[in-house]
mmCIF file of all heavy atoms in Angstrom:
data_model
loop_
_atom_site.group_PDB
_atom_site.id
_atom_site.type_symbol
_atom_site.label_atom_id
_atom_site.label_comp_id
_atom_site.label_asym_id
_atom_site.label_seq_id
_atom_site.Cartn_x
_atom_site.Cartn_y
_atom_site.Cartn_z
ATOM 1 N N LEU A 40 10.883 123.860 86.258
ATOM 2 C CA LEU A 40 10.729 125.298 86.442
ATOM 3 C C LEU A 40 9.603 125.594 87.421
ATOM 4 O O LEU A 40 9.765 126.493 88.287
ATOM 5 C CB LEU A 40 10.431 125.958 85.098
ATOM 6 C CG LEU A 40 10.228 127.455 85.078
ATOM 7 C CD1 LEU A 40 11.479 128.176 85.579
ATOM 8 C CD2 LEU A 40 9.864 127.951 83.689
ATOM 9 N N GLY A 55 3.260 129.443 87.968
ATOM 10 C CA GLY A 55 2.454 129.212 86.772
ATOM 11 C C GLY A 55 2.694 130.282 85.710
ATOM 12 O O GLY A 55 2.750 130.006 84.527
ATOM 13 N N ARG A 73 12.229 129.782 60.184
ATOM 14 C CA ARG A 73 12.510 130.469 58.923
ATOM 15 C C ARG A 73 13.990 130.851 58.844
ATOM 16 O O ARG A 73 14.625 130.734 57.795
ATOM 17 C CB ARG A 73 11.642 131.712 58.776
ATOM 18 C CG ARG A 73 11.896 132.479 57.500
ATOM 19 C CD ARG A 73 10.928 133.619 57.284
ATOM 20 N NE ARG A 73 9.576 133.129 57.132
ATOM 21 C CZ ARG A 73 8.576 133.892 56.694
ATOM 22 N NH1 ARG A 73 8.796 135.158 56.374
ATOM 23 N NH2 ARG A 73 7.389 133.403 56.538
ATOM 24 N N THR A 86 23.282 128.522 68.191
ATOM 25 C CA THR A 86 23.084 129.796 68.927
ATOM 26 C C THR A 86 21.886 129.685 69.855
ATOM 27 O O THR A 86 21.949 130.046 71.042
ATOM 28 C CB THR A 86 22.881 130.947 67.925
ATOM 29 O OG1 THR A 86 24.021 131.048 67.087
ATOM 30 C CG2 THR A 86 22.708 132.253 68.702
ATOM 31 N N GLY A 97 20.990 130.165 84.299
ATOM 32 C CA GLY A 97 20.766 131.392 85.076
ATOM 33 C C GLY A 97 19.608 131.228 86.055
ATOM 34 O O GLY A 97 19.681 131.710 87.199
ATOM 35 N N SER A 109 10.103 137.659 92.192
ATOM 36 C CA SER A 109 9.314 137.126 91.092
ATOM 37 C C SER A 109 9.718 137.670 89.732
ATOM 38 O O SER A 109 9.827 136.910 88.760
ATOM 39 C CB SER A 109 7.818 137.418 91.349
ATOM 40 O OG SER A 109 7.389 136.736 92.483
ATOM 41 N N ALA A 111 12.521 138.526 88.476
ATOM 42 C CA ALA A 111 13.734 137.908 87.956
ATOM 43 C C ALA A 111 13.437 136.548 87.290
ATOM 44 O O ALA A 111 13.900 136.247 86.180
ATOM 45 C CB ALA A 111 14.734 137.721 89.071
ATOM 46 N N SER A 116 12.457 133.404 82.377
ATOM 47 C CA SER A 116 11.593 132.392 81.761
ATOM 48 C C SER A 116 11.159 132.880 80.381
ATOM 49 O O SER A 116 11.088 132.095 79.412
ATOM 50 C CB SER A 116 10.368 132.135 82.636
ATOM 51 O OG SER A 116 10.725 131.572 83.890
ATOM 52 N N ALA A 119 14.058 132.466 78.067
ATOM 53 C CA ALA A 119 14.227 131.053 77.722
ATOM 54 C C ALA A 119 13.250 130.654 76.609
ATOM 55 O O ALA A 119 13.651 129.913 75.669
ATOM 56 C CB ALA A 119 14.012 130.192 78.964
ATOM 57 N N ALA A 152 7.389 110.266 66.422
ATOM 58 C CA ALA A 152 6.243 110.550 67.274
ATOM 59 C C ALA A 152 6.268 109.649 68.519
ATOM 60 O O ALA A 152 5.989 110.131 69.624
ATOM 61 C CB ALA A 152 4.933 110.374 66.493
ATOM 62 N N LEU A 161 8.716 110.064 80.587
ATOM 63 C CA LEU A 161 10.003 110.015 81.308
ATOM 64 C C LEU A 161 10.372 111.384 81.886
ATOM 65 O O LEU A 161 10.924 111.458 83.008
ATOM 66 C CB LEU A 161 11.073 109.532 80.327
ATOM 67 C CG LEU A 161 12.521 109.459 80.868
ATOM 68 C CD1 LEU A 161 12.591 108.544 82.085
ATOM 69 C CD2 LEU A 161 13.487 109.009 79.776
ATOM 70 N N VAL A 188 24.153 120.400 75.007
ATOM 71 C CA VAL A 188 24.862 119.312 74.324
ATOM 72 C C VAL A 188 24.045 118.777 73.158
ATOM 73 O O VAL A 188 24.591 118.581 72.058
ATOM 74 C CB VAL A 188 25.154 118.145 75.317
ATOM 75 C CG1 VAL A 188 25.692 116.912 74.612
ATOM 76 C CG2 VAL A 188 26.132 118.605 76.393
ATOM 77 N N ALA A 194 23.044 119.999 65.512
ATOM 78 C CA ALA A 194 23.476 120.947 64.489
ATOM 79 C C ALA A 194 24.676 120.392 63.719
ATOM 80 O O ALA A 194 24.777 120.638 62.512
ATOM 81 C CB ALA A 194 23.842 122.257 65.117
ATOM 82 N N ARG A 197 23.800 116.617 61.503
ATOM 83 C CA ARG A 197 22.948 116.547 60.299
ATOM 84 C C ARG A 197 23.777 116.704 59.055
ATOM 85 O O ARG A 197 24.588 117.624 58.946
ATOM 86 C CB ARG A 197 21.884 117.656 60.359
ATOM 87 C CG ARG A 197 21.034 117.679 59.140
ATOM 88 C CD ARG A 197 19.902 118.671 59.221
ATOM 89 N NE ARG A 197 19.144 118.689 57.995
ATOM 90 C CZ ARG A 197 18.067 119.470 57.798
ATOM 91 N NH1 ARG A 197 17.679 120.230 58.759
ATOM 92 N NH2 ARG A 197 17.436 119.414 56.643
ATOM 93 N N ALA A 237 -8.216 119.391 77.070
ATOM 94 C CA ALA A 237 -9.461 119.123 77.762
ATOM 95 C C ALA A 237 -9.427 117.757 78.413
ATOM 96 O O ALA A 237 -9.943 117.544 79.539
ATOM 97 C CB ALA A 237 -10.647 119.252 76.786
ATOM 98 N N GLU A 239 -6.704 116.074 79.445
ATOM 99 C CA GLU A 239 -5.790 116.129 80.574
ATOM 100 C C GLU A 239 -6.441 116.788 81.813
ATOM 101 O O GLU A 239 -6.423 116.226 82.909
ATOM 102 C CB GLU A 239 -4.512 116.877 80.182
ATOM 103 C CG GLU A 239 -3.646 116.167 79.149
ATOM 104 C CD GLU A 239 -2.612 117.063 78.572
ATOM 105 O OE1 GLU A 239 -2.456 118.207 79.043
ATOM 106 O OE2 GLU A 239 -1.938 116.646 77.588
ATOM 107 N N VAL A 267 2.016 105.379 71.929
ATOM 108 C CA VAL A 267 3.248 104.710 71.477
ATOM 109 C C VAL A 267 2.942 103.468 70.677
ATOM 110 O O VAL A 267 3.496 103.245 69.594
ATOM 111 C CB VAL A 267 4.128 104.322 72.723
ATOM 112 C CG1 VAL A 267 5.259 103.418 72.302
ATOM 113 C CG2 VAL A 267 4.636 105.593 73.392
ATOM 114 N N ARG A 305 -14.066 104.160 86.066
ATOM 115 C CA ARG A 305 -12.678 104.233 85.572
ATOM 116 C C ARG A 305 -12.356 103.220 84.458
ATOM 117 O O ARG A 305 -11.607 103.573 83.538
ATOM 118 C CB ARG A 305 -11.690 104.070 86.758
ATOM 119 C CG ARG A 305 -11.486 105.388 87.518
ATOM 120 C CD ARG A 305 -10.443 105.229 88.606
ATOM 121 N NE ARG A 305 -10.906 104.204 89.567
ATOM 122 C CZ ARG A 305 -10.081 103.392 90.210
ATOM 123 N NH1 ARG A 305 -8.781 103.436 89.962
ATOM 124 N NH2 ARG A 305 -10.541 102.520 91.076
ATOM 125 N N ASP A 332 4.302 117.194 51.475
ATOM 126 C CA ASP A 332 3.893 117.152 50.048
ATOM 127 C C ASP A 332 3.378 118.459 49.546
ATOM 128 O O ASP A 332 3.264 118.641 48.330
ATOM 129 C CB ASP A 332 2.823 116.036 49.870
ATOM 130 C CG ASP A 332 3.371 114.657 50.107
ATOM 131 O OD1 ASP A 332 4.593 114.471 49.979
ATOM 132 O OD2 ASP A 332 2.557 113.759 50.428
ATOM 133 N N THR A 344 6.978 123.752 61.893
ATOM 134 C CA THR A 344 6.923 124.545 63.110
ATOM 135 C C THR A 344 5.576 125.250 63.255
ATOM 136 O O THR A 344 5.036 125.373 64.356
ATOM 137 C CB THR A 344 8.059 125.625 63.130
ATOM 138 O OG1 THR A 344 9.309 124.951 62.913
ATOM 139 C CG2 THR A 344 8.107 126.330 64.463
ATOM 140 N N SER A 369 -18.336 120.752 85.890
ATOM 141 C CA SER A 369 -17.876 119.440 86.266
ATOM 142 C C SER A 369 -16.789 118.979 85.288
ATOM 143 O O SER A 369 -16.536 119.620 84.280
ATOM 144 C CB SER A 369 -19.034 118.440 86.218
ATOM 145 O OG SER A 369 -19.500 118.319 84.894
#
Side-chain angles (χ1 to χ4, degrees):
L40 180 62
R73 180 174 294 193
T86 302
S109 297
S116 296
L161 178 60
V188 172
R197 178 176 177 178
E239 291 167 7
V267 170
R305 278 184 299 146
D332 293 337
T344 307
S369 64

